Amino acid sequence: MSVNDSVNRIVVGSGVIFAGTLAGLLFDILIKGVLTSYLSPADFGTYSLA
């Protein structure tokens, strides 16, 4: 395995982790938006603490 192959694997792996992190953050924002419309403030506070 050459250095170029190693660098390519690192870049691809980092891209996958970055994309997964962004997708997780977007999903979290969407879920919180939906939950705030259906839960009372006290119930949402309980969800946030959990």
Side-chain angles (χ1 to χ4, degrees), residues 1-47:
M1 183 179 285
S2 69
V3 173
N4 194 24
D5 291 337
S6 297
V7 170
N8 283 340
R9 287 186 68 188
I10 291 170
V11 169
V12 169
S14 298
V16 169
I17 291 171
F18 183 69
T21 301
L22 286 179
L25 289 172
L26 180 63
F27 186 69
D28 186 46
I29 290 170
L30 291 174
I31 291 297
K32 284 185 180 175
V34 170
L35 287 177
T36 54
S37 64
Y38 288 111
L39 295 177
S40 68
D43 290 337
F44 185 76
T46 304
Y47 166 78

